[in-house]
Amino acid sequence: MNVPFFQILKHKALLWPLGLINLAGTLYGYYWYQPQLETAKWYYYPFIPDSPTASLFFTIIVFLWIFNRRSRLFEALAFVTLIKYGVWAVVMNALMLQELGTSNSYLTTMALMLMVSHGAMAFQALLYIPFMTFRVKELVLVSIWVIHNDVVDYVLGQWPRYPALAEHIQWIGYGSFWLTGLCILMGYFFVARDSIDNKVA
C-alpha cells in the first residue's frame, strides 16, 4: 500500500507512542526542576521549567490530533518552544562539557542524554511542520510568552541552573534572546506565512 510519508507521521499507531514518550519526558523534566522550584517564588513557576513545558505543549497537540481535534495556539507554542529550548539545552550541555571536561562519567552521560533528548524536541517540531496550522495572531501571542519567559530567566534570574556556566550568564542570556527571535521567524516563514488550506490534512 502506497502511503505518503507525512500521512504515516499522523497515523494514530505512531501518535500514541509519540504522545506517551513526550508525556513521560515532560513528567521527568518537571521532576528535574523540582529543586529550583522549591526555592523560587510561586509566580515564577510557569516560567522556570522551560523544556518540560515545551514538551507539554507538544504532548497536548499530539493527543488533540489523536482525537481529531486541534489548537492553533498550542501548535504555535509547541513549534516555537520545542526549537527554542531544544537547541538551547543542546548548546548549554555542550558548553558545560567543554567547561568541565569529560572525566566525570556521570555528568558526561547525563549531558549527552540531555543533548540527545532535547535535540529530539527540536527535530519533532521540524518534522511535524506540515501539520501545523497556526497563524500570525497565534504567533504574536507565543512571541509575548517566550520573550516574557526570557525576561524572567535572564533579567529576573530564574534561568535553568548550570553552575559551571554561571559566570557566562550575560552572554547566555544575550544568545537566548537572539535564539527566540530566530524561532519566531521560523514559525512565520515555515507555518504562519502559508495558507492553512495548503497544509496536509
Side-chain angles (χ1 to χ4, degrees):
M1 182 171 61
N2 184 20
V3 180
F5 174 69
F6 288 114
Q7 296 297 337
I8 294 175
L9 287 178
K10 210 174 179 187
H11 195 283
K12 291 182 180 180
L14 180 61
L15 289 179
W16 270 109
L18 183 66
L20 293 173
I21 289 170
N22 276 274
L23 178 60
T26 297
L27 295 175
Y28 174 76
Y30 284 123
Y31 172 77
W32 190 86
Y33 274 95
Q34 185 179 357
Q36 186 173 346
L37 290 169
E38 287 175 349
T39 61
K41 293 182 171 59
W42 65 268
Y43 45 80
Y44 290 138
Y45 289 173
F47 308 103
I48 290 176
D50 299 329
S51 296
T53 300
S55 62
L56 175 63
F57 293 146
F58 187 67
T59 301
I60 289 171
I61 66 171
V62 167
F63 282 107
L64 285 174
W65 289 341
I66 288 172
F67 294 102
N68 299 314
R69 301 177 67 86
R70 69 185 326 131
S71 167
R72 290 172 182 157
L73 179 59
F74 277 107
E75 288 176 8
L77 283 165
F79 180 85
V80 172
T81 60
L82 281 176
I83 298 176
K84 163 71 186 290
Y85 298 114
V87 171
W88 185 94
V90 170
V91 173
M92 289 304 102
N93 282 280
L95 289 175
M96 186 181 70
L97 288 178
Q98 182 180 23
E99 190 81 10
L100 298 178
T102 57
S103 59
N104 187 317
S105 60
Y106 172 78
L107 284 179
T108 300
T109 301
M110 182 63 66
L112 292 174
M113 183 273 289
L114 290 171
M115 290 170 70
V116 170
S117 60
H118 286 77
M121 286 171 54
F123 178 72
Q124 286 180 137
L126 297 175
L127 189 63
Y128 278 87
I129 283 175
F131 305 105
M132 302 286 186
T133 60
F134 58 83
R135 300 158 299 186
V136 171
K137 66 179 182 179
E138 285 89 20
L139 191 58
V140 169
L141 293 174
V142 171
S143 300
I144 294 170
W145 169 273
V146 180
I147 292 171
H148 177 70
N149 204 348
D150 280 342
V151 171
V152 171
D153 282 352
Y154 301 106
V155 178
L156 301 179
Q158 303 303 313
W159 67 294
R161 296 296 180 251
Y162 279 82
L165 302 176
E167 62 181 291
H168 308 296
I169 188 58
Q170 289 183 326
W171 288 108
I172 292 171
Y174 176 77
S176 184
F177 277 103
W178 278 103
L179 179 58
T180 293
L182 176 61
C183 293
I184 292 168
L185 284 175
M186 290 175 67
Y188 174 74
F189 282 108
F190 290 160
V191 183
R193 182 178 63 168
D194 297 331
S195 168
I196 62 173
D197 295 330
N198 295 328
K199 296 298 178 182
V200 178

